[in-house]
Amino acid sequence: QDYARYWDSVKEVHERGKYGSIGYRYPFRDAEALKLVLRTHTTAVSTYMLHKLAADPRPARYFSIDRVFRNETVDATHLAEFHQVEGVIADFGLTLGGLIGFMEVFFGKMGIHRLRFKPAYNPYTEPSMEIFGFHEGLDRWVEIGNSGMFRPEMLEPTGLPKDMRVYGWGLSLERPTMIK
């Protein structure tokens, strides 16, 4: 796989835009991108798997669980360190309605049936949604996940076909247990 071409494409997306995007419009700094930091999410794992999938594009599902770190005030629904569950589903013809349906089944298997979806901003997905579940003990809705459809400028540098769509979603492994 041509990682140098991939790196240059990501850099161009950030600085000037590409694949229909206006980009993030800031100077991409190699030294900043190569810094070692405590991981705040596992999207890099999903991106790596999608890059590998581009060698043989086909419907696929990838899931990962790993420890992440956030600058959070610890309370009944937030932890500074937790295990993120992340998934991507790649296929042709995927829709936002299909993602909502998948999330309803996913959380339903954990016994969480009262869900709400709220539009959100995520740099990697558009459209994006926060997922809320009703917490009986707190008598309020609590964010339990995030999701969206990966943006073309996220997928095309990996080499995936332009008509392939990818769901992306993530949640704290600990968060649903806080609700139950």
Side-chain angles (χ1 to χ4, degrees):
Q1 303 230 8
D2 186 356
Y3 291 103
R5 183 181 58 79
Y6 178 62
W7 179 270
D8 291 341
S9 188
V10 169
K11 182 176 183 174
E12 188 175 347
V13 165
H14 278 256
E15 292 183 334
R16 293 179 293 284
K18 197 173 177 179
Y19 311 109
S21 165
I22 63 170
Y24 298 106
R25 297 179 279 173
Y26 66 82
F28 184 89
R29 291 187 295 280
D30 292 0
E32 186 71 21
L34 292 169
K35 279 185 180 177
L36 297 178
V37 297
L38 292 175
R39 178 178 31 214
T40 59
H41 55 80
T42 55
T43 304
V45 175
S46 297
T47 304
Y48 175 74
M49 295 309 298
L50 292 172
H51 190 239
K52 286 182 67 166
L53 178 64
D56 180 20
R58 65 197 182 291
R61 293 177 179 211
Y62 299 109
F63 303 93
S64 67
I65 301 174
D66 214 335
R67 189 180 322 170
V68 297
F69 306 87
R70 302 276 173 88
N71 185 12
E72 297 273 5
T73 301
V74 176
D75 63 21
T77 62
H78 294 88
L79 298 170
E81 178 182 342
F82 59 90
H83 294 86
Q84 181 165 337
V85 177
E86 181 166 299
V88 294
I89 299 174
D91 206 341
F92 300 91
L94 297 178
T95 66
L96 182 63
L99 174 58
I100 292 170
F102 175 82
M103 298 314 307
E104 288 172 338
V105 169
F106 179 83
F107 283 106
K109 289 181 182 270
M110 289 186 274
I112 302 171
H113 300 284
R114 293 181 64 188
L115 296 176
R116 286 186 180 168
F117 299 89
K118 175 185 163 192
Y121 169 77
N122 294 317
Y124 309 113
T125 59
E126 178 64 34
S128 304
M129 303 175 300
E130 292 174 339
I131 307 161
F132 291 82
F134 191 76
H135 190 297
E136 300 288 343
L138 297 175
D139 195 33
R140 67 180 174 104
W141 293 92
V142 175
E143 183 184 349
I144 57 173
N146 212 312
S147 64
M149 306 279 294
F150 273 91
R151 297 164 59 126
E153 65 268 29
M154 177 75 179
L155 297 175
E156 289 184 38
T158 67
L160 288 171
K162 289 184 181 200
D163 58 343
M164 180 167 266
R165 302 290 176 257
V166 178
Y167 298 151
W169 51 269
L171 65 136
S172 159
L173 181 61
E174 292 82 358
R175 187 72 60 90
T177 62
M178 293 174 167
I179 290 180
K180 297 306 289 175

